[in-house]
Amino acid sequence: MSEEQKLAQSFSKSEQHLDEETLFVVSQTFKALSDPTRIRILNLLCTGEHSVNDIAETLNLSQSSVSHQLRFLKNLRLVKYRRAGTTLYYSEDDDHVMNLLKQAIEHAAHH
């Protein structure tokens, strides 16, 4: 069975089980991936753990903007953090969504 056939079969099975909570989580995940700043942050976190200051400097964003976006992503459990003294270090927390992001970036690069 080809990958496309497996994917189509998987979609037909899951289509029958789309409850309200699942629909909400899926829509929030795509909402998270619909913002260019969040995409840039997640893409950077694909390379490893980064502090808020490092993210802000690397992406040329304000710390408050980065903190706001990270809070949104943390609430969706797409990123996690660890504290070292007064510094928070963020990393990815959902391999499925990160794979989706990587695939979308690869798809866009082919056009």
Side-chain angles (χ1 to χ4, degrees):
M1 183 179 294
S2 74
E3 284 299 313
E4 289 179 5
Q5 290 170 326
K6 289 178 187 176
L7 188 59
Q9 190 177 43
S10 172
F11 277 131
S12 66
K13 287 180 185 176
S14 65
E15 187 177 314
Q16 300 166 6
H17 303 9
L18 287 177
D19 57 40
E20 290 302 313
E21 182 180 352
T22 301
L23 286 170
F24 179 75
V25 170
V26 170
S27 69
Q28 290 301 297
T29 300
F30 279 106
K31 180 179 177 182
L33 295 176
S34 71
D35 181 84
T37 301
R38 289 191 289 264
I39 292 171
R40 292 176 66 208
I41 291 170
L42 289 169
N43 189 54
L44 179 61
L45 293 178
C46 283
T47 67
E49 185 179 71
H50 294 275
S51 70
V52 175
N53 289 340
D54 184 43
I55 295 168
E57 288 176 19
T58 302
L59 300 180
N60 197 28
L61 299 167
S62 70
Q63 284 184 339
S64 64
S65 174
V66 169
S67 292
H68 172 75
Q69 298 300 343
L70 287 169
R71 187 170 31 259
F72 182 86
L73 294 168
K74 187 172 94 36
N75 288 339
L76 290 174
R77 291 182 271 176
L78 300 181
V79 300
K80 60 185 174 185
Y81 70 91
R82 71 172 178 87
R83 183 180 300 275
T86 59
T87 305
L88 297 177
Y89 292 92
Y90 283 84
S91 59
E92 63 179 277
D93 194 26
D94 190 320
D95 290 338
H96 296 103
V97 173
M98 298 309 273
N99 286 333
L100 250 176
L101 176 62
K102 289 173 190 174
Q103 288 178 357
I105 291 168
E106 288 172 9
H107 174 74
H110 284 82
H111 289 268

